[in-house]
Every structure is written in C-alpha cells, then in structure tokens.
Amino acid sequence: MNIASFAPLAVVLPILGAALTFVLIRHSRAQRTVSIALLSLTLALECLLLASVWEGGTAAVNIGGWLPPWGIVMVVDQFSSLMLVVSSAVSLAVLVYATGQGMADGDQDAPVSIFHPTYLILVAGVSNAFLSGDLFNLYVGFEILLTASYVLMTLGGTGPRIRAGVTYVVVSVVSSVLFLISIAMVYGATGTVNMADLALKLADLDPGTKTLLHVMLLVAFGIKAAVFPLSFWLPDSYPTAPAPVTAVFAGLLTKVGVYAMVRTETLLFPGDSLNTPLMVAALLTMLVGILGALAQNDIKRLLSFTLVSHIGYMVFGLAMSSVAGLGAAVFYVAHHITIQTSLFLVTGLIERRGGSSSVDRLAGLAKLSPLLALLFFIPAMNLAGIPPFSGFLGKVGLMQAGIELGTPLAYGLVIGGVLTSLLTLLAVARVWNRAFWRKPSDAEHPDPVLLAPRETSDTGRRGGRNNVTLLPRTMVGSTLGLVLLGVSLTVFAGPLFKVSDQAARDMLDRSSYIQAVLGEETAVPLILTSGGGK
Amino acid sequence: MSVNLTLLAVMGALYACGIYLILERSLTRVLLGLMLLANATNLLILATGGYAGLAPFYAKDTPAQDYNDPLPQALILTSIVISFAVTAFMLGIIYRTWVLAKQDEIQDDLEDLRVAETPSFDAEDDAEIPMETSEFPLTMLGSDGRSVSDHGTASDHTPAGGGEETAGGTVQAGDTKIAAEDAAAEEQPGSQNVTPGPEGGVK
C-alpha cells in the first residue's frame, strides 16, 4: 500500500478536527490541543506525501473506488504536494500565533471558540483544492475555503469588518458563479469534468470554443488570485480582519487561485495561446500593485498591495510556459506564501507593541523591541529581493527565464520585475524608517505607549494597556518560527529549486499526470509551443 | 426530443435580472441578484445535460441513449447547497449591517478615500532640500524662500493659524516663522499624509 493512497487524509483530518473542536466549543484548552495536534499530524502526512511523490512519481487516488473519469479523483504530484507542505506549515504557525493571541486577550476581541473549527475547515478547503483532480471538486474545495474565509473575515462582527466582509463575500460569490458557469460550459463542450480526461478532450475542440473556455476559467481564477485588473477587492477587504486571519488569507487564498491558474495553463490548455495577455496582466499587476503600496500609510494595507504586486511575478513565470519560468514561479509561490504570511504576523505584533499599524503613529520600535525589528527586517528584505534571500533567488530565476525567452514583452517584464522589486524595497524601507528608526517624538501622531518611559520588558504589562501582554511568547515564537522557515527556504534553495524544476517539467510534459489518473497506456499527445518549451 | 427553449429563455432572464441587481448599492438587492445568478447557473448546468430523457438505471431494459445524463443534476444539487449556505451567511451580514449602521447600503472604504484625496506632494519626501544643510539647521526654507510645506498644496489651503489643525482637517505650517521653530525636528508638522482628528491613522 502506497503512502500516496492516504492523500485524502490531508482533507479528512482537518475536517475531523473541525468537528471535534465544535464539540469542544466550551473547552478552549482542549480545543487548542486538538486543532494543533491534528494540523501537525496533517503536516507530517503531507511531508510523507512529498517524499513518496519524489520517489515514486505522480499518484492518483480514486475516491470511493469509482474509476476515472467518472468518479472523483485526487492527484498528488510534486507541485500539489509541495504546495500542501508549505501551506500546512504556514497554517500551523498561524494557528499557534492565533492561539497565543487568544490566550493573551481572552474572548473580548473575537469569539475564539468559533475560530478553531472555521480555521480547520479553511485548511481542509485549501488542501482539497490542491489535491483535486476534478474541476468540480476544485470548485467544491474553493467553496469550502471561501465559506470558512467569510466567517473568519467577519469574526467579531465589528463595523469595519462587516463593511469589508460584504465586498469580499459579493466579489467571491461572483467569481464562484463565473467558475461554475465555466464548469457548465466545459461539461457541455466535452462531457467530462475530470481534469486528466479534459486535458485529452479539450484538444479536439474548435479553437474558438477552446479560447472561450480558457478565458472564462482564467477570469474566474484571476479574481481569486487577485491579478490586475481583478485585484481591486483585495486591499479593501484583507486589512480589516484580525492579524492571524489576514496573514493566512494573504499567504494561502490568493495562491490557491494561482495554483488553479497554473493547472489551467499547463494541464487543460497547454500551448501558448493566451501567453501574451497573461504577460501584460502580469506586468500591470506588478506595477499597479506596488504603486498602490507606496501610497499607503497603514502597514497592513501596504502589505496587501505588495501581495497583489507579487502575484504578478508568479503569473509572469506561468505565462512563459517554459521549464525555467514555471519552475521559478513554483519556487516563488512557495517563497511568497511563507514571507507574506510572516510579514502579516509581524505586523500583528507591531500593532500590539506600538498600538497601531499606521506608520504615522509608529516610531522608535527598533529601540523598544530589537527582536521585533529583526523579525520585520528579515522577511521585509526577503520580500524586496535583497540577496542572498529566497526572494532574490526566485526573482533571478524569473529574470533568467525571461531573458532566455527573449521576446520584447519578456524583456519588458524583466525590467518591470526589477522596477517592482526596487519599489518594494522603497515601500518596506519607508515602513522601516518610520516605524522602527525615528524617535517617537518625531511621529505625526505617536501612540501614548511609545512615549511612555520604559518601565518593564516587552513581555510585561504597562502604560495605557495594563491588562494586555504586549508581546506574548507564543505569538513571538510562532512568528520567529515562520521567519526561520523563510530563511531556511534560502538555505535550502538548491533542493527546493530542484523540486520546483522537476514539478514544472512534469506539469509541462503532462504525461505523468494523465497516465497516473487514466492508466499507464493512455497516449498523451505532444504539445506544440512556439517558444521556450524545451 | 429537443432542447427546452423555455428553460434557456428563463435562464437568460435570470442572468439579466441578477446582473442588474448586483450592481445596486442596496445590500438586499445585491443578495437577490446573487440568488438569481446562482439559479440561472443551475439552469445552465441542467441544459448541459442535453435532451430530456428517462431516469438512468430505473428499468433494466432501457437503452443507453434514452437515459438522461445524471451528472449535471448531481452538480446542481451541490451548487444549490453551497448557494443556500452563502445566502444564509449574506442574510446574517445584512442584518448585522442594519444593526450597526442602520442602513442597507454598501459603505465606502474611508482609508481608500483618504489615499485618493491625498495630494501627490509629501512634505517629508518631496520637499526641496533646504539651503542650510548643516547639522543644526536654523530654517526649513525652500530655495525660493517659502516654507517647504507650502509647495504644491496651495490648492486646498487657505492661510490659517500656524501649525494647528484647522476645522477642514488639513494640517499646515502657515508662515515661515513656524517652520523655523520646528526645524530642529526632522519632521514637518505639515505632512499631508495625516488623517485628521485625534485618532490619527485609521486602524
């Protein structure tokens, strides 16, 4: 019995955890233990999955014994298992952070008892989307994670969260409806929703129909992935949610959209029919996103804009449809999930320590809390792509692939990528200068807590907020763990690049995926690409 | 057997009404629009099943071509359940909006409006470097002799008391003397990025 046949447990375990934590809703300590234990178990299982896929190649699991293309199938290949491992590691860190926050604050700010089941369902939805080998099951995975995210987004039901939540829910529902319409059209055109089967049958369609289906799917996923011009909703809705929720949304939800786009481009509609529009969208996403970030004072909003902007890098890598480009994009997704989440977690800590997340009110944090400064500095430099961090390596990979491709548009994207990287550095350096380096008396509206004399240590209770632990150990510890994970992506960039290149090669080749689902003897037609598909 | 034209026409009407309704500002109408869109999509999925036919596997001797395709109906069932959950959640949110704000309308994002209204000039970043560049500057005058915070922001300013927050909410250093007093601080008090009011930045 292969370990890969346990892949559905990556979905089942979090759902089981959600059920258990619901039963234990009155016992917060038991709830915490159960959710952390089950998520750790899921992470361990996914590490085993990654190892087994690395050894034995792509594997498919037929749910309920129904043979494909009729039954639901879950596929574990290198890309999906890598995404599973990274996403679960990040969600575990955020869960520890959130429990730390809940323990420190009690139930005043947010009903933490609801948080655990919802959070686990979100993780289950993300895993389901990554594992799904079936277009409709992918839709169900999206809906599971979106419904959980609606609840998390409006946790506590305060005015700003409800306001942002309405926009978020409506935009998400519209994108889901678009996705469902595309599924209906795909089914009407081919008579199947199994992705491996579709990969074979879509090739026979009339080019016009094919382009229509392709565009419909990309638009639906583009809203979820926040690709310009479909990214308008993200900076509006993410920053109002509680810090751990924003962190996990920023890390995972848009990446699920990117994952679905990658599958669409490589498996369902191979070739380069829509690469030019995708590249233009990638360029605009990068530039418009980062210019938006420069205008922000609130760190959470600034980070939301950088999140949008850096989605552009992934789309750029995807749009090149070469092994080098796609491999770099896979690497970049793994890097960005970790880095963006840790930055949002640090921002949560900054908000606790400094009393605000607006750079107008923050000052002098480097002196107040050197550890916090270090925790912000490392991922911020990593995001901006300063050598030797993984952000730099991922960007260099993308640039190399772009220059290898050698079209004028690719050169334009390389230049745009470098520019975006510099502007990201400017944006985070502004935050650094204002929040960490200047004197509290220089701030426009300094928070009283910053001006108060230093009486106690970071973990103590003080000043205007004497009932709040400013920096609880659990929260700092989990953030530190995630920052270290980000640094380890730099240290182990060689093996990671090997995995992502192999994943890209498998995805572009398609045969391992299709044969794992439909049987070894299935003939996979070669794909004709005009450039870069070596 | 033929494609059911009535269903297709109903689907089109539902889509049209749904799209019209989600463009409204009233949340209840948006919700109704989303429900119509979901149901129109269900009809679309039903239409992809092809011609109407017999129930599959009901009688042993039904020939395969007379079956109706059961898969779209299974898909519709799933999508009905999902849209039911989302509708219930939306109703909860709308009720909460009503409790909090006593209105059934989408509210604007204040921080977004603030960024939109911020002039491109930033007193801290864009000011001309003062002539005096010694470590202890006596003045923060621009090269043309005016206070740095006056550049580029003249359109939304009327000269008022120096260094105070006016009723309109803009902070400004009125005449040149104020700037000189504050010159020891590296910040100009007139940064245009400041959200008015005692709360400062929006949380």
Side-chain angles (χ1 to χ4, degrees), chain A residues 278-328:
Chain A
L278 266 181
M279 282 198 183
V280 175
L283 183 63
L284 289 174
T285 310
M286 285 197 271
L287 293 179
V288 174
I290 202 64
L291 290 179
L294 287 176
Q296 306 302 321
N297 283 342
D298 188 285
I299 304 181
K300 284 184 183 174
R301 288 181 68 95
L302 183 143
L303 288 176
S304 304
F305 274 99
T306 61
L307 167 64
V308 171
S309 157
H310 286 237
I311 295 290
Y313 284 107
M314 300 162 207
V315 179
F316 172 37
L318 169 64
M320 284 187 279
S321 65
S322 65
V323 171
L326 195 58

Side-chain angles (χ1 to χ4, degrees), chain A residues 258-528:
Chain A
V258 173
Y259 173 87
M261 283 176 86
V262 170
R263 287 284 182 221
T264 314
E265 281 297 301
T266 56
L267 182 66
L268 300 183
F269 300 94
D272 44 13
S273 51
L274 283 183
N275 279 2
T276 310
L278 266 181
M279 282 198 183
V280 175
L283 183 63
L284 289 174
T285 310
M286 285 197 271
L287 293 179
V288 174
I290 202 64
L291 290 179
L294 287 176
Q296 306 302 321
N297 283 342
D298 188 285
I299 304 181
K300 284 184 183 174
R301 288 181 68 95
L302 183 143
L303 288 176
S304 304
F305 274 99
T306 61
L307 167 64
V308 171
S309 157
H310 286 237
I311 295 290
Y313 284 107
M314 300 162 207
V315 179
F316 172 37
L318 169 64
M320 284 187 279
S321 65
S322 65
V323 171
L326 195 58
V330 171
F331 179 88
Y332 204 85
V333 173
H335 142 83
H336 196 250
I337 289 179
T338 322
I339 298 307
Q340 195 76 45
T341 310
S342 39
L343 273 173
F344 271 107
L345 289 187
V346 178
T347 310
L349 289 178
I350 291 176
E351 204 173 357
R352 286 183 81 86
R353 188 67 188 83
S356 168
S357 62
S358 164
V359 286
D360 284 340
R361 310 193 69 190
L362 290 169
L365 284 174
K367 202 171 175 186
L368 275 181
S369 174
L371 177 64
L372 191 58
L374 188 72
L375 286 180
F376 178 80
F377 188 76
I378 294 175
M381 289 302 112
N382 203 334
L383 184 76
I386 298 297
F389 287 119
S390 51
F392 170 73
L393 300 172
K395 280 171 188 130
V396 164
L398 287 171
M399 305 301 149
Q400 272 178 346
I403 288 168
E404 222 170 82
L405 193 62
T407 59
L409 190 55
Y411 276 113
L413 269 156
V414 169
I415 296 167
V418 173
L419 194 63
T420 308
S421 174
L422 289 175
L423 290 175
T424 310
L425 182 62
L426 176 63
V428 292
R430 271 169 58 115
V431 173
W432 174 258
N433 283 342
R434 286 171 166 230
F436 287 93
W437 262 2
R438 65 178 171 184
K439 280 176 272 174
S441 50
D442 289 349
E444 286 87 345
H445 297 278
D447 191 272
V449 102
L450 299 171
L451 297 173
R454 297 195 69 193
E455 286 160 3
T456 49
S457 66
D458 282 342
T459 49
R461 295 144 197 275
R462 55 180 284 180
R465 298 184 197 86
N466 46 16
N467 56 347
V468 170
T469 315
L470 287 173
L471 293 176
R473 257 189 214 109
T474 337
M475 292 170 76
V476 177
S478 53
T479 315
L480 183 66
L482 205 54
V483 170
L484 287 181
L485 180 67
V487 172
S488 75
L489 288 187
T490 311
V491 178
F492 299 106
L496 187 60
F497 248 115
K498 214 183 262 171
V499 174
S500 49
D501 268 354
Q502 187 58 41
R505 204 165 286 126
D506 274 6
M507 279 193 284
L508 287 174
D509 182 41
R510 300 201 302 164
S511 56
S512 68
Y513 189 102
I514 295 175
Q515 284 171 351
V517 177
L518 296 177
E520 290 295 334
E521 63 282 357
T522 318
V524 180
L526 282 173
I527 314 143
L528 300 169

Side-chain angles (χ1 to χ4, degrees), chain A residues 105-147:
Chain A
D105 295 354
D107 277 8
Q108 295 156 355
D109 195 25
V112 185
S113 51
I114 290 297
F115 174 82
H116 284 274
T118 323
Y119 189 83
L120 288 171
I121 288 177
L122 179 86
V123 174
V126 171
S127 302
N128 191 19
F130 284 148
L131 281 171
S132 172
D134 181 295
L135 214 49
F136 196 77
N137 196 23
L138 181 65
Y139 168 75
V140 173
F142 267 122
E143 286 304 314
I144 295 174
L145 73 90
L146 283 178
T147 313

